[in-house]
Amino acid sequence: MLPLAPRLKLVLVGGGGGRGGDATVAVTFNVQATTVFGENIYITGSVNALQNWSPDNALILSADNYPIWSVTVNLPASTTIEYKYIRKFNGAITWESDPNNSLTTAASGSATQTDTWR
């Protein structure tokens, strides 16, 4: 019985006020970044939807509005999230400089986060 009690506590804490913890907010990330041909911009961060800081699984941004790169991600609602942009070019990965970017998502709806590569 003891192993079951902590799991129950985690479910109740993560419940998000009766929503079951499944509420998400669509966040569009826009970052201004100048690149060379063949170089791409990605994002990764502190939650599953941002691939938990994994550069290998980071989400690629679209260059359709270059030099603004963008992607829309469904993130957990009412959550503080840290993230960084990374560059990938010819197998090399370059992380954006410190500190991590941070945002707190709303309880519902959508949002746009605008950044400049640093």
Side-chain angles (χ1 to χ4, degrees), residues 5-118:
R7 280 189 239 150
L8 180 59
K9 286 182 183 177
L10 288 174
V11 170
L12 291 174
V13 170
R19 290 192 235 175
D22 294 332
T24 61
V25 175
V27 178
T28 298
F29 291 91
N30 294 316
V31 61
Q32 182 172 342
T34 304
T35 56
V36 297
F37 183 78
E39 183 177 37
N40 289 296
I41 303 295
Y42 294 75
I43 188 171
T44 190
S46 62
V47 294
N48 288 340
L50 293 177
Q51 305 304 312
N52 294 308
W53 297 114
S54 171
D56 293 333
N57 298 315
L59 306 176
I60 191 168
L61 281 71
S62 167
D64 286 349
N65 293 310
Y66 184 84
I68 304 299
W69 294 75
S70 64
V71 68
T72 301
V73 184
N74 290 322
L75 297 175
S78 303
T79 302
T80 298
I81 294 164
E82 291 188 346
Y83 65 95
K84 277 193 174 182
Y85 300 100
I86 60 176
R87 295 174 181 261
K88 292 185 182 183
F89 183 60
N90 288 338
I93 297 172
T94 304
W95 288 80
E96 188 179 27
S97 63
D98 286 334
N100 295 340
N101 297 304
S102 179
L103 68 87
T104 301
T105 57
S108 62
S110 61
T112 299
Q113 182 70 27
T114 301
D115 298 301
T116 301
W117 175 273
R118 52 182 170 74

